Amino acid sequence: QVQLVESGGGLVQPGGSLRLSCAVSGSIFSIYGMGWYRQAPGKQRELVAYITSGGSTNYAASVKGRFTISRINAKNTLYLQMNSLKPDDTAVYSCNADIVERLGGRMYHWGQGTQVTVSS
């Protein structure tokens, strides 16, 4: 069984920073692409940032230049450094990973999400 657990969310003032982490555990053979998504109240879930197993990244236009996605493959951990946060960044942030399990099978797995609230 595979688990993704996010941490690092919270309340921050506009202009502040937060760093999210997503730890992947379980019967993992390999992890391909990983991404951070967010969903604000009343809105559809959107892709925030994505990183391949080789380290190539892409970002939503709304966060480019402010957010940085990274991963440590040896630790099966994904990060999202969020700087210059705005109230519009308020959402539940979830990580997603494309995982091949040791017993075979490849599928996308989701974490439970962590709340990020940007407010003064």
Side-chain angles (χ1 to χ4, degrees):
Q1 190 175 358
V2 173
Q3 268 194 317
L4 278 66
V5 179
E6 299 100 336
S7 60
L11 173 63
V12 64
Q13 292 188 340
S17 298
L18 282 176
R19 187 193 194 206
L20 305 183
S21 300
C22 173
V24 184
S25 63
S27 182
I28 301 162
F29 179 75
S30 63
I31 304 176
Y32 292 98
M34 303 179 79
W36 286 100
Y37 292 75
R38 67 185 181 187
Q39 186 167 21
K43 294 187 177 181
Q44 286 193 327
R45 184 166 58 193
E46 63 172 347
L47 175 64
V48 175
Y50 183 83
I51 185 168
T52 67
S53 55
S56 297
T57 59
N58 68 306
Y59 298 89
S62 59
V63 307
K64 210 166 189 177
R66 299 188 297 122
F67 290 10
T68 302
I69 189 171
S70 61
R71 62 191 284 177
I72 299 179
N73 292 331
K75 292 185 177 181
N76 291 336
T77 304
L78 177 71
Y79 302 96
L80 185 68
Q81 177 67 43
M82 304 186 294
N83 298 329
S84 303
L85 282 161
K86 306 174 181 179
D88 283 349
D89 295 318
T90 296
V92 175
Y93 286 70
S94 301
C95 62
N96 174 275
D98 180 6
I99 296 172
V100 177
E101 300 186 29
R102 290 194 183 276
L103 296 179
R106 176 178 176 177
M107 63 182 293
Y108 291 97
H109 294 264
W110 289 91
Q112 82 287 351
T114 186
Q115 177 70 46
V116 171
T117 301
V118 185
S119 175
S120 55

